[in-house]
Amino acid sequence: MAEDKVLKELIPRINELSKKKKEQGLTEAEDAERKELHQKYLKRFKENMRSQIEMVQVYNKKGKEITSDKVKNIQRKKGLRDN
């Protein structure tokens, strides 16, 4: 999986704020920042997961492709599939 620079930048700050929240509490501004960063993190994580799933082709033991039609259609729209 490719490295996501945005997540790599968000995670240390989220962790820093979470640690501070447990140890001494956060100001209103810090709590708002933590919530905003968490939402950005979740959005980016979901985008990355969706992209990974959309790239997958599933095959059974006999070698026949059994990828869902929904995923096949998404792949066709993105030009990732010819058939």
Side-chain angles (χ1 to χ4, degrees):
M1 184 161 74
E3 193 174 296
D4 189 322
K5 293 178 184 178
V6 173
L7 289 180
K8 211 170 185 181
E9 292 173 7
L10 291 176
I11 292 171
R13 182 63 179 154
I14 291 170
N15 289 340
E16 181 183 326
L17 290 169
S18 294
K19 183 179 178 184
K20 184 177 179 189
K21 181 179 180 182
K22 289 178 187 175
E23 292 175 352
Q24 62 196 43
L26 298 175
T27 64
E28 285 185 31
E30 289 171 329
D31 193 44
E33 178 187 6
R34 185 188 62 80
K35 288 177 182 176
E36 181 183 345
L37 292 173
H38 189 253
Q39 289 303 313
K40 285 181 183 179
Y41 172 84
L42 287 176
K43 182 179 182 223
R44 190 64 174 227
F45 180 85
K46 288 175 185 178
E47 289 170 356
N48 289 343
M49 182 61 73
R50 180 178 301 272
S51 177
Q52 289 293 317
I53 291 170
E54 289 172 352
M55 298 294 292
V56 171
Q57 291 182 332
V58 182
Y59 294 87
N60 66 14
K61 291 181 181 181
K62 295 179 182 178
K64 181 181 178 195
E65 184 180 10
I66 56 172
T67 307
S68 75
D69 291 335
K70 182 177 179 178
V71 173
K72 285 181 184 179
N73 289 333
I74 291 169
Q75 291 170 345
R76 285 184 191 108
K77 288 178 184 175
K78 291 188 173 191
L80 302 171
R81 174 182 284 275
D82 293 332
N83 59 2

